Amino acid sequence: MCEANAYILRDGKEDLYLENVDVMIPEGDTIYLKNLFGEQKTFEGRLKEVSLLRHRIILEEKKS
């Protein structure tokens, strides 16, 4: 499988945001994510890192 888990980086810790991400679409200051089971989330922030080998997506919250 090629899906990845998405994590939010907060205070140096990674919190799981969505498992088995299949689709990720950046749209301005937001990122749309959808997993294999149809669960959808929209994250406000930016993409910090993607590791295809480790199946990990790291997101960083938008600073206000």
Side-chain angles (χ1 to χ4, degrees):
M1 294 284 189
C2 296
E3 71 278 0
N5 292 333
Y7 300 87
I8 299 174
L9 183 62
R10 289 185 179 125
D11 301 323
K13 276 184 51 182
E14 296 174 1
D15 298 322
L16 182 62
Y17 184 66
L18 185 63
E19 292 180 292
N20 301 307
V21 174
D22 180 41
V23 176
M24 181 176 64
I25 302 171
E27 299 172 339
D29 290 340
T30 63
I31 300 169
Y32 166 82
L33 301 123
K34 182 178 176 185
N35 72 9
L36 288 176
F37 309 106
E39 185 178 359
Q40 302 174 43
K41 290 188 172 184
T42 301
F43 177 79
E44 286 193 34
R46 69 180 188 100
L47 179 63
K48 181 168 177 61
E49 178 183 335
V50 175
S51 173
L52 299 176
L53 189 61
R54 296 175 63 201
H55 304 273
R56 295 166 49 87
I57 300 166
I58 307 298
L59 305 170
E60 191 169 64
E61 291 178 307
K62 183 178 176 181
K63 296 180 179 165
S64 50

